Amino acid sequence: MKCTIHGAVVLSRPPEGPLAAYIAPFARSLSEQGYREGSLKQQVRIASGFSRWLEQTGVGVRSICADHAIRYLRYRTRHIRPRRGDRAALRHLIDFLHLEQLTPAEQVVSPRLSSTECCVQAYVTYLREARALATATIVNYVPFVRAFLNDRFGQGRVTLSRLCAGDVVRFAQRQAPRMQPKCAKLLTAALRSFLRYARYRGDITLDLSAAVPVVANWSMPSIPRGIAPDQTRQLLASIDRRSGTGLRDYAILLLLARLGLRSGEVVSLELGDIDWSAGRLSVGGKSAQRNELPLPADVGKAIATYLIRGRPRSTCRRVFLRARAPITGFSGPSGVGSVVRHAIQRAGIDAPTRGAHQFRHGLATEMLFHGASLSEIGELLGHQHPQTTTIYTKVDIKALRTLAVPWPGDVQ
């Protein structure tokens, strides 16, 4: 006797086994996450087959673990031709059972951390909770700090009170010459940060951060590579806004171009951050600071159109959601970078880069060209230090040569 699950999946017989009562709720959960009918059918049929196998092997709901999923896939392969997505379907089912507290969370035995790793983890906690630094900054600092501690203490116990200026100088002098200037400056910044942390803890009394050598490097060595205004207009015009994905991408690109937001700021934007009546946007910037920005009419219209006509139904509070299941916010800034990269490729534009930051540079350069002050530019871009904004005052000599008037007469 056939059985229909969630009005979409037809099984040759009703579900059997310990998971029979949970197949329909599982299907409903998948539907709410935005999985399409084809994927929904595959996952429900896998779950039904898994439940029958559990009954045959005498495994109850409370005993299910990831190992049972692996064993079932091996069993299934001997009887049915495997399909792409079978393993993911079972993983979704196991996650659903854990989420519904039907199966106990698996106990993962963590390996014992070394003395160096314990010190690094404590430093990471300090950066995240006390300093509220961005995840990207923490990720950049940690490898240098770990290398410094391993260089000084090896596999032994880390005793920060034994550090001296010579340790710091020797490590920096050995490592910096092998690196590009930008990477070497990041190394010295990480060392200063860690040594200030060690002093904050009371492990050292001297300010060893002052012993970190300064990496020789020209201030503002390169000119920001900003996308040109006509390229931005061409890119926006190329977006197909007849689909939900197109409406989303258009709104994202407008935010980048008109407000100069960072990728991470676009990703973390939530529905409650938009004050429609006041026409303002609250943006979470670096170091957990929030910037209040005016919401231009065209940007507000693009976001509103996406929310009304293009955004999938979801309990997620993020403004911009993935186009494919599971329907949730982007996992990180790379999601916005992917939107920019594919849009530029489709439009066939010879942009300075394929990244999202070029819109930020392009906006700042255009504002400066039209007479905006550095303080105004810095306020819009959320710069914490005025020196960060001064990079846009650099002149592109190569571009200016194309505008130079030939000198009259022959060269003497």
Side-chain angles (χ1 to χ4, degrees):
M1 183 177 67
K2 293 184 178 181
C3 174
T4 302
I5 303 294
H6 196 60
V9 185
V10 178
L11 301 177
S12 59
R13 53 180 171 172
E16 303 170 0
L19 300 181
Y22 309 113
I23 301 295
F26 174 56
R28 185 165 53 252
S29 171
L30 294 174
S31 179
E32 291 172 352
Q33 293 179 65
Y35 285 95
R36 297 183 179 180
E37 186 174 328
S39 177
L40 185 65
K41 289 179 179 179
Q42 180 184 5
Q43 297 195 59
V44 168
R45 287 168 181 162
I46 285 283
S48 179
F50 183 48
S51 182
R52 288 196 300 272
W53 178 83
L54 290 172
E55 185 177 43
Q56 295 169 7
T57 52
V59 178
V61 175
R62 298 294 300 176
S63 303
I64 297 174
C65 65
D67 182 61
H68 291 122
I70 296 172
R71 289 167 54 192
Y72 170 67
L73 286 175
R74 291 173 182 165
Y75 163 82
R76 181 182 172 86
T77 301
R78 293 195 296 268
H79 298 82
I80 302 175
R81 183 179 178 180
R83 293 179 58 187
R84 180 180 180 183
D86 287 354
R87 185 179 299 274
L90 271 185
R91 186 174 66 249
H92 294 161
L93 176 63
I94 298 294
D95 291 343
F96 169 78
L97 297 175
H98 286 336
L99 189 63
E100 295 296 316
Q101 298 182 346
L102 298 172
T103 57
E106 295 189 43
Q107 300 295 322
V108 179
V109 179
S110 301
R112 185 175 181 180
L113 297 179
S114 65
S115 181
T116 292
E117 202 57 38
C118 287
C119 185
V120 168
Q121 293 303 318
Y123 171 61
V124 168
T125 301
Y126 162 78
L127 293 182
R128 183 181 295 117
E129 297 180 1
R131 295 292 311 282
L133 292 188
T135 301
T137 303
I138 298 174
V139 169
N140 285 332
Y141 280 5
V142 163
F144 295 118
V145 171
R146 184 181 288 115
F148 172 63
L149 294 176
N150 284 330
D151 179 79
R152 175 60 182 83
F153 299 103
Q155 299 301 315
R157 179 179 178 82
V158 173
T159 308
L160 297 181
S161 60
R162 292 167 52 190
L163 290 175
C164 65
D167 299 326
V168 178
V169 173
R170 280 190 295 271
F171 177 75
Q173 287 180 336
R174 283 198 305 269
Q175 299 296 324
R178 309 173 187 174
M179 303 175 178
Q180 295 292 332
K182 186 175 181 180
C183 187
K185 288 178 75 68
L186 187 59
L187 162 69
T188 55
L191 286 178
R192 292 189 189 99
S193 171
F194 178 74
L195 293 170
R196 284 192 291 265
Y197 157 74
R199 192 182 184 194
Y200 163 82
R201 278 173 48 99
D203 293 314
I204 57 177
T205 55
L206 297 176
D207 182 14
L208 292 183
S209 64
V212 178
V214 176
V215 175
N217 193 18
W218 292 105
S219 176
M220 303 182 296
S222 61
I223 297 170
R225 304 172 69 189
I227 188 170
D230 59 333
Q231 290 180 320
T232 299
R233 288 190 290 269
Q234 181 183 348
L235 182 63
L236 291 170
S238 71
I239 302 297
D240 183 3
R241 285 179 274 170
R242 292 173 295 182
S243 67
T245 302
L247 291 172
R248 181 201 66 186
D249 294 353
Y250 182 77
I252 287 176
L253 290 171
L254 263 186
L255 276 170
L256 296 173
R258 299 279 277 112
L259 294 178
L261 298 189
R262 302 177 179 92
S263 296
E265 294 169 343
V266 174
V267 167
S268 61
L269 195 63
E270 297 193 351
L271 297 173
D273 294 334
I274 306 175
D275 187 340
W276 295 103
S277 58
R280 297 194 67 79
L281 199 65
S282 178
V283 177
K286 291 185 175 180
S287 300
Q289 66 172 357
R290 298 202 70 85
N291 300 321
E292 298 292 329
L293 300 176
L295 183 63
D298 56 344
V299 179
K301 181 179 178 181
I303 295 176
T305 304
Y306 166 65
L307 295 178
I308 296 171
R309 292 172 42 199
R311 187 177 185 271
R313 294 182 60 182
S314 174
T315 57
C316 180
R317 298 294 295 171
R318 295 277 183 85
V319 172
F320 300 108
L321 303 180
R322 286 163 41 96
R324 295 182 178 180
I327 303 299
T328 185
F330 292 113
S331 59
S334 60
V336 171
S338 179
V339 168
V340 172
R341 184 173 63 257
H342 287 113
I344 289 175
Q345 289 174 346
R346 285 193 300 267
I349 297 174
D350 185 20
T353 72
R354 290 290 186 268
H357 223 65
Q358 63 181 317
F359 293 96
R360 188 173 172 84
H361 293 324
L363 175 64
T365 304
E366 189 69 5
M367 288 178 66
L368 189 66
F369 178 78
H370 285 93
S373 66
L374 290 180
S375 60
E376 290 171 333
I377 297 173
E379 184 177 358
L380 176 63
L381 299 184
H383 288 163
Q384 294 182 339
H385 305 291
Q387 186 179 0
T388 307
T389 316
T390 59
I391 191 172
Y392 297 108
T393 63
K394 295 195 70 175
V395 179
D396 190 343
I397 300 298
K398 183 178 180 180
L400 288 180
R401 285 197 182 105
T402 64
L403 305 176
V405 178
W407 187 265
D410 296 332
V411 178
Q412 300 296 325

